[in-house]
């Protein structure tokens, strides 16, 4: 498995800016737009993800609404496989399955198309091998719900990948799949 060098990791991290108190007081928002508009940083990241996941024999990449779409679609294209959006409730036009997850106050819900990974989530009679990706894991609620969705339609969540992990929040503990974070802070 190809490891990312310390220099490359630090370079990617330095391309992500932190906006204090967005969207509300106390949140240190990790803004990946400054990674995306830096072609060297984006390419360094995508080269690494491509090298890592070439070895996984994946059938699909699933990206979480909305920043997971950017990394997920770019990676799926590099790997020559399909991309599946995991969307917030009410955005997908065909038949969906959904999963709720708790927020600080109330709950939210994510959905995928029931046939997103083929009929019954199968590729040539085996569960489709799916990589789930998002820009960041904080409490882990969103990714846990999204990975449950993949299983619900009969596919297999082979790994959950995040560009950034906020380690102190221990979000990975609630996820029932292997986890890879490019950078943990
Ligand atoms: P969580 O369900 O708590 O793991 O939250 C993860 C989702 O919220 C991801 O889709 C992130 O894009 C977003 N998110 C949560 N915290 C932050 C943060 N500090 N900076 C940027 N995005 C965040």
């Amino acid at each position: 498995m190809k490891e990312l060098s310390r220099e490359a990791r630090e370079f990617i991290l330095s391309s992500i800016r932190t906006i204090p108190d967005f969207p509300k007081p106390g949140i240190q928002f990790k803004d990946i737009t400054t990674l995306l508009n830096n072609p060297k940083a984006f390419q360094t990241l995508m080269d690494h993800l491509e090298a890592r996941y070439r070895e996984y024999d994946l059938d699909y990449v699933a990206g979480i609404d909305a920043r997971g779409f950017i990394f997920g679609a770019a990676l799926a294209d590099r790997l020559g496989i399909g991309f599946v959006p995991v969307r917030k409730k009410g955005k997908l036009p065909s038949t969906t399955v959904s999963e709720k997850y708790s927020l600080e106050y109330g709950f939210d819900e994510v959905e995928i198309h029931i046939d997103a990974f083929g009929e019954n989530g199968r590729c040539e009679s085996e569960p489709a091998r799916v990589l789930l990706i998002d820009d960041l894991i904080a409490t882990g609620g969103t990714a846990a719900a999204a990975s449950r969705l993949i299983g619900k339609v009969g596919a297999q969540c082979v790994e959950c990948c995040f560009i950034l992990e906020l380690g102190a929040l221990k979000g990975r503990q609630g996820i029932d799949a292997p986890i890879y974070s490019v950078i943990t802070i």
Side-chain angles (χ1 to χ4, degrees):
M1 179 98 40
K2 203 156 177 262
E3 292 299 320
L4 190 64
S5 70
R6 208 174 117 225
E7 292 73 27
R9 190 172 280 114
E10 282 170 6
F11 174 55
I12 292 168
L13 182 59
S14 71
S15 76
I16 298 170
R17 70 182 164 189
T18 302
I19 310 288
D21 300 321
F22 182 87
K24 52 185 183 182
I27 304 284
Q28 300 286 316
F29 190 86
K30 298 297 175 189
D31 178 16
I32 53 93
T33 64
T34 46
L35 184 168
L36 298 172
N37 75 7
N38 178 333
K40 188 87 179 60
F42 193 25
Q43 191 181 57
T44 302
L45 173 68
M46 293 311 303
D47 284 349
H48 169 61
L49 294 179
E50 179 183 358
R52 177 181 178 85
Y53 289 112
R54 274 226 174 274
E55 299 174 9
Y56 272 60
D57 192 25
L58 296 168
D59 297 306
Y60 296 91
V61 179
I64 298 178
D65 202 341
R67 290 180 290 272
F69 296 171
I70 301 166
F71 301 105
L75 180 59
D77 182 56
R78 282 186 175 221
L79 297 175
I81 60 178
F83 172 76
V84 171
V86 178
R87 296 221 64 180
K88 295 279 167 63
K89 191 169 176 60
K91 304 287 186 186
L92 288 170
S94 188
T95 308
T96 58
V97 287
S98 63
E99 270 287 325
K100 286 185 181 172
Y101 59 98
S102 302
L103 299 173
E104 199 176 349
Y105 302 103
F107 68 90
D108 215 334
E109 208 164 344
V110 284
E111 293 185 329
I112 53 174
H113 278 142
I114 195 163
D115 58 358
F117 307 113
E119 203 180 329
N120 301 318
R122 301 208 158 227
C123 263
E124 293 165 5
S125 83
E126 293 294 319
R129 291 173 59 78
V130 180
L131 173 73
L132 180 65
I133 191 164
D134 201 1
D135 65 329
L136 182 143
I137 176 169
T139 67
T142 319
S147 71
R148 287 196 302 273
L149 266 184
I150 292 168
K152 225 174 174 175
V153 295
Q156 182 192 356
C157 182
V158 173
E159 189 158 274
C160 299
C161 174
F162 306 97
I163 314 310
L164 281 179
E165 176 174 354
L166 305 184
L169 295 179
K170 299 186 166 47
R172 61 167 54 226
Q173 290 179 357
I175 297 177
D176 193 17
I179 293 168
Y180 173 65
S181 300
V182 177
I183 300 163
T184 301
I185 49 175

